[in-house]
């Protein structure tokens, strides 16, 4: 639509924020080609420094409404001069978290959550025989191209979408496919953190009221103790008690995501389902949220299923990675092995498109 009027300047606002690495790389390759063919200037706004640096002639780093650094992408990536630039560069180059020994064997020995042969058919199959298992404290990152069924898988585990067939068990106890058929204890034990905190947090309720809502269903925490518990939960996710009186609209994106995490933790869950919780955050904030989830997993023994299109999130979390494509798991294994030695074609394409990997500017890894 924008190109139909043959513009001299094309302004793009976060065009790749919700895309997987392969689709993002393909979009940026097309953008580079169109820029050369039409001669249009491009102003590309993005929180993903690693991706845009591969197609930009210059990169400007902003903080507090000011440009704090400006230069060729190679210079900014190699030797950032601003504090903000250094933080963005560090977040764009993740290492791979160390994995526990024999994670597959540990899961088989003490499975907490098991999903077996899940199928969901609408006009066509959205999930086609997906199985997974997690032990207490385990982490499984589910990655794959956009539209492959990642969010649908989480919604089925949470009972928000009822699978056509298959079975979900929590410590050997069968869970109803529809959340309305699960008892309060079962609902409490499995909590979903949605992708968009703006849509999931009531804009008319204070942070304290939002976080405190699940406490009303916990008989172990009487009403008199609930305000103190809300403060403890906010502290646990790195937020000050003074934010309890604010509305969600007065918070930053990272703060809203932490509130969504605190609300999920208020139910005292054993399984945390995270749906693209870093997709709308800049790399440094996304890194902080990812590290928070990793810390909570370790401290509380939570089993975490992390759906993400960002392989750097999977790298930081460690644990295991499952690659979903067309509703089926195509490859699974420890994050360190899968990200360094991918075996399936889909996995190789996703890894090759990671922004920190070397490739020619504007190269389309999908062709």
């Amino acid at each position: 639509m924008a190109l139909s009027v043959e513009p001299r300047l094309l302004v793009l606002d976060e065009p790749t924020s919700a895309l997987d690495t392969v689709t993002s790389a393909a979009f940026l390759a097309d953008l580079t080609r169109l820029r050369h063919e039409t001669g249009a200037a491009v102003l590309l706004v993005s929180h993903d420094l690693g991706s845009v640096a591969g197609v930009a002639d210059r990169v400007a780093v902003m903080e507090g409404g000011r440009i704090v650094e400006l230069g060729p992408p190679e210079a900014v990536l190699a030797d950032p001069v601003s504090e903000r630039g250094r933080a963005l560069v560090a977040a764009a180059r993740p290492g791979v978290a160390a994995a526990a020994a024999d994670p597959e064997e540990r899961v088989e020995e003490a499975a907490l959550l098991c999903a077996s042969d899940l199928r969901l058919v609408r006009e066509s199959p959205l999930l086609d025989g997906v199985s997974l298992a997690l032990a207490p404290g385990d982490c499984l990152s589910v990655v794959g191209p956009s539209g492959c069924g990642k969010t649908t898988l989480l919604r089925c585990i949470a009972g928000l979408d009822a699978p056509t067939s298959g079975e979900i068990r929590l410590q050997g106890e069968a869970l109803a496919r529809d959340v309305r058929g699960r008892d309060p204890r079962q609902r409490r034990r499995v909590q979903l953190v949605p992708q968009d905190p703006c849509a999931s947090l009531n804009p008319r309720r204070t942070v304290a009221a939002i976080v405190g809502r699940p406490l009303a269903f916990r008989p172990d925490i009487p009403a008199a103790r609930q305000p103190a518990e809300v403060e403890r939960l906010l502290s646990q996710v790195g937020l000050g008690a003074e934010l309890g009186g604010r509305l969600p609209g007065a918070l930053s994106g990272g703060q809203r995501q932490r509130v969504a995490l605190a609300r999920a933790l208020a139910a005292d869950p054993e399984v945390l389902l995270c749906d693209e919780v870093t997709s709308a955050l800049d790399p440094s904030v996304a890194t902080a949220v990812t590290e928070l989830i990793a810390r909570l997993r370790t401290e509380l023994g939570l089993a975490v299923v992390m759906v993400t299109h960002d392989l750097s999130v999977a790298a930081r979390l460690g644990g295991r990675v499952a690659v979903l494509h067309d509703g089926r798991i195509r490859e699974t294994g420890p994050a360190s092995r899968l990200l360094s030695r991918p075996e399936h074609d889909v996995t190789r394409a996703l890894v090759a498109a990671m922004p920190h990997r070397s490739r020619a500017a504007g190269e389309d890894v999908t062709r």
Side-chain angles (χ1 to χ4, degrees):
M1 187 186 303
L3 292 172
S4 65
V5 295
E6 299 181 352
R8 296 179 63 186
L9 172 64
L10 195 60
V11 181
L12 296 98
D13 184 13
E14 298 280 8
T16 63
S17 63
L19 304 180
D20 64 81
T21 54
V22 174
T23 308
S24 175
F27 174 86
L28 293 174
D30 286 340
L31 180 63
T32 299
R33 175 180 55 79
L34 290 168
R35 180 165 65 98
H36 292 155
E37 290 177 356
T38 65
V42 174
L43 177 62
L44 178 59
V45 174
S46 177
H47 64 256
D48 190 347
L49 177 61
S51 290
V52 300
V55 299
D57 297 316
R58 291 181 298 159
V59 171
V61 178
M62 291 192 68
E63 183 176 28
R66 296 186 303 113
I67 292 178
V68 296
E69 186 165 351
L70 176 66
E74 298 83 3
V76 174
L77 284 172
D79 188 23
V81 297
S82 67
E83 189 172 322
R84 183 60 171 167
R86 287 192 289 271
L88 290 171
V89 169
R93 293 174 173 166
V96 178
D102 300 318
E104 299 286 353
E105 181 178 332
R106 183 168 60 88
V107 170
E108 292 300 323
E109 288 177 354
L112 170 65
L113 175 71
C114 284
S116 304
D117 201 24
L118 291 184
R119 286 181 165 79
L120 178 60
V121 179
R122 298 278 168 82
E123 294 181 359
S124 60
L126 301 181
L127 295 177
D128 190 9
V130 173
S131 298
L132 57 85
L134 286 92
D138 194 17
C139 179
L140 177 68
S141 295
V142 181
V143 304
S146 301
C148 69
K150 301 188 296 293
T151 295
T152 300
L153 174 59
L154 281 197
R155 288 180 60 84
C156 283
I157 295 173
L160 301 178
D161 284 339
T164 307
S165 62
E167 187 177 58
I168 302 168
R169 288 185 172 272
L170 190 63
Q171 278 190 328
E173 180 182 9
L175 297 181
R177 295 177 188 172
D178 191 317
V179 69
R180 290 170 292 189
R182 300 179 185 179
D183 64 42
R185 181 183 58 87
Q186 292 173 331
R187 292 196 294 268
R188 176 187 62 76
R189 296 173 71 191
V190 179
Q191 290 293 307
L192 173 68
V193 182
Q195 177 175 356
D196 183 4
C198 288
S200 68
L201 302 179
N202 189 330
R204 294 188 175 91
R205 304 272 288 181
T206 65
V207 167
I210 290 169
V211 175
R213 174 64 176 163
L215 300 178
F217 301 94
R218 287 184 56 184
D220 58 316
I221 301 181
R225 281 182 48 205
Q226 290 177 10
E229 181 66 9
V230 168
E231 290 190 11
R232 187 191 71 80
L233 288 163
L234 291 176
S235 175
Q236 193 171 49
V237 299
L239 296 176
E242 69 278 3
L243 295 183
R246 296 189 188 178
L247 297 175
L251 305 179
S252 69
Q255 288 173 328
R256 283 193 291 265
Q257 200 57 273
R258 289 171 185 262
V259 170
L261 275 168
R263 178 180 59 184
L265 294 174
D268 193 25
E270 297 171 47
V271 179
L272 198 62
L273 309 175
C274 299
D275 185 16
E276 297 280 13
V277 294
T278 64
S279 64
L281 307 178
D282 71 65
S284 56
V285 178
T287 297
V289 170
T290 302
E291 291 173 349
L292 169 62
I293 293 171
R295 176 175 62 80
L296 293 171
R297 170 194 163 203
T298 301
E299 291 178 357
L300 304 177
L302 291 170
V304 175
V305 183
M306 172 69 79
V307 158
T308 180
H309 64 260
D310 185 351
L311 289 184
S312 68
V313 172
R316 287 190 176 91
L317 285 173
R320 293 176 297 131
V321 175
V323 180
L324 196 64
H325 182 246
D326 288 342
R328 296 182 180 180
I329 291 180
R330 306 294 180 171
E331 182 174 359
T332 185
S336 55
R337 195 279 301 166
L338 192 141
L339 295 177
S340 61
R341 299 186 305 280
E343 297 174 356
H344 195 278
D345 289 345
V346 174
T347 315
R348 285 196 289 267
L350 289 169
V351 171
M354 289 180 72
H356 69 280
R357 297 181 68 88
S358 299
R359 61 176 183 271
E363 175 189 352
D364 186 349
V365 298
T366 68
R367 298 175 182 169

